[in-house]
């Protein structure tokens, strides 16, 4: 049988892996829940992020990671060849899932700014639609911004208005008076909404992808530990730690 210190090191590695799984798993579940809750916000409506996000996948991956932590804890306390095989197989499948989530997350993070920009202009142009109007007004009040890149973007909406180019919805002003907001007032929100919204969506995708990469790395370590321990104990009497 292999020297005891090698076995002890591998078992200690499994315990560290279990601890890491718990932390990353909870972080994935929390991030996934944030993505799902973001889908119901006005910000998600005007950026079209209310249609599909990897939030559900992150929650599933985080939950499976916590279950893998349970398997790892059992495997570290009772080192048997069947348990190590189950642990290795479970981690292999979960690693594949985490890699897919990471790739999708980083790809989306790379193109999301362009998607958000197009979605914002589309929803702004259709501002007279009730759902977009409600969402845009809520976004501008909550984010203290006006238009996509600035006040002038509202010209495309009110181009048939007698004072087009001079006015925007009252939600563009901190203290609106009447039905419109003047571009000459000092209480106008000067900053556009694009940068704030794009940064928020990109952060969600990047955070989810980074957590998936971290989880995949931990799982690879766990797979290596399981393989080494199973190689030591395969065909020999089970080794028990109490």
């Amino acid at each position: 049988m292999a020297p005891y210190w090698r076995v002890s090191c591998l078992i200690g590695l499994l315990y560290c892996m279990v601890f890491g799984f718990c932390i990353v798993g909870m972080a994935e579940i929390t991030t996934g829940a944030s993505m799902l809750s973001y889908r119901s916000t006005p910000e998600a409506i005007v950026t079209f992020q209310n249609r599909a996000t990897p939030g559900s996948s992150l929650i599933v991956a985080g939950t499976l990671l916590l279950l893998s932590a349970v398997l790892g804890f059992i495997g570290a306390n009772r080192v048997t060849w069947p348990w190590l095989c189950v642990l290795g197989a479970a981690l292999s499948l979960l690693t594949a899932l985490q890699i897919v989530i990471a790739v999708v997350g980083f790809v989306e993070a790379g193109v999301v700014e362009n998607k958000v920009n197009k979605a914002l202009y589309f929803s702004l142009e259709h501002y007279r639609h009730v759902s977009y109007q409600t969402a845009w007004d809520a976004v501008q009040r909550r984010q203290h911004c006006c238009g996509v890149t600035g006040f002038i973007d509202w010209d495309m909406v009110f181009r048939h208005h007698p004072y087009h180019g001079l006015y925007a919805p009252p939600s563009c002003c901190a203290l609106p008076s009447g039905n419109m907001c003047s571009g000459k007032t000092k209480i106008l929100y000067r900053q556009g909404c694009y940068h704030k919204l794009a940064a928020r969506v990109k952060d969600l995708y990047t955070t989810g992808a980074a957590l998936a990469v971290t989880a995949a790395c931990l799982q690879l370590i766990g797979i290596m530990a399981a393989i080494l321990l199973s190689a030591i104990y395969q065909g020999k009497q089970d080794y028990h730690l109490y």
Side-chain angles (χ1 to χ4, degrees), residues 18 122 147 150 153 166 182 227:
V18 167
F122 179 87
D153 291 327
L166 299 176
S182 172
I227 291 174

Side-chain angles (χ1 to χ4, degrees), residues 7-8 17 29 42 50-51 56 69 73 112 124 160 168 175 207 212 217:
V7 177
S8 299
M17 178 200 71
I29 292 174
N50 58 326
R51 299 181 178 181
S56 299
F73 183 79
V112 72
L124 184 76
H160 300 301
L175 297 172
T207 301
C217 292

Side-chain angles (χ1 to χ4, degrees), residues 43-105:
E43 288 82 355
I45 294 176
V46 298
T47 58
F48 294 174
Q49 293 300 314
N50 58 326
R51 299 181 178 181
T53 63
S56 299
S57 300
L58 272 177
I59 292 177
V60 171
T63 302
L64 292 176
L65 196 58
L66 293 179
L67 293 177
S68 298
V70 175
L71 288 177
F73 183 79
I74 295 175
N77 279 274
R78 184 177 178 84
V79 182
T80 63
W81 186 75
W83 267 115
L84 292 173
C85 290
V86 171
L87 178 62
L91 291 180
S92 298
L93 293 174
L94 189 52
T95 300
L97 174 61
Q98 298 283 8
I99 291 174
V100 171
I101 294 175
V103 171
V104 171

Side-chain angles (χ1 to χ4, degrees), residues 2-18:
Y4 181 79
W5 67 268
R6 294 182 183 177
V7 177
S8 299
C9 288
L10 290 174
I11 293 175
L13 187 61
L14 282 178
Y15 278 120
C16 293
M17 178 200 71
V18 167

Side-chain angles (χ1 to χ4, degrees), residues 6 47 79 103 133 136 193 200 224 236 242:
R6 294 182 183 177
T47 58
V79 182
V103 171
Q133 180 175 345
W136 262 107
C193 301
R200 173 58 176 162
M224 292 173 59
K236 297 183 181 181
Y242 298 99

